[in-house]
Amino acid sequence: MALSGSTAIVGAFGRDSEAGAAYIFERSWNGGYSGASYATHWQLAKRLQAPDSAAGLAFGYAVAVDGGLAVVTALRANDGKAYVFGRNYGGTNNWGYMKAVGQPATGAGALEYATNLGTVHRTRYWSDGQEN
């Protein structure tokens, strides 16, 4: 699960025969004041799936969100790729698929993805725990 402002993303890599999914939620303000804070509601904005979805892919294993950019990894994707979605890609608030970002062909190790100010950052961790 990741949170950025009024946007949250939750990965569900065990859904649909482990094809997986990710869910984007948006917080909306109802305008009413209740006690010490304004009351809010979280609503499902979009269910994301990998464009190459298949049983066992485990899409949604790790997720990141920053403003209008979401990144979702798939545990068993070829070349360790992650999928990038844009909030307004393909229409207003559509959260459309933009592209896949893959792991370099050399070496082994798990990748972690994060977003920062609209840029996807990738870090590789080797089995000895060293960061590259």
Side-chain angles (χ1 to χ4, degrees):
M1 188 246 174
L3 179 67
S4 174
S6 62
T7 304
I9 185 168
V10 178
F13 65 92
R15 295 275 307 169
D16 303 326
S17 300
E18 293 187 4
Y23 298 89
I24 298 208
F25 294 89
E26 297 284 344
R27 179 174 50 193
S28 61
W29 302 92
N30 71 359
Y33 185 76
S34 173
S37 64
Y38 284 94
T40 62
H41 299 282
W42 288 90
Q43 295 181 344
L44 178 65
K46 182 81 174 200
R47 180 179 194 258
L48 304 177
Q49 292 181 280
D52 55 350
S53 184
L57 183 64
F59 177 82
Y61 182 74
V63 294
V65 65
D66 181 37
L69 188 68
V71 179
V72 182
T73 65
L75 181 62
R76 296 182 192 98
N78 293 334
D79 74 2
K81 65 184 161 189
Y83 303 85
V84 180
F85 297 84
R87 178 189 307 272
N88 295 318
Y89 199 78
T92 303
N93 291 323
N94 183 54
W95 286 102
Y97 169 74
M98 296 173 67
K99 65 187 258 179
V101 180
Q103 174 178 335
T106 58
L111 293 178
E112 290 187 7
Y113 291 85
T115 62
N116 183 22
L117 300 175
T119 303
V120 178
H121 301 277
R122 177 175 59 195
T123 304
R124 180 190 301 229
Y125 290 91
W126 298 93
S127 57
D128 63 3
Q130 297 297 312
E131 188 176 323
N132 182 9

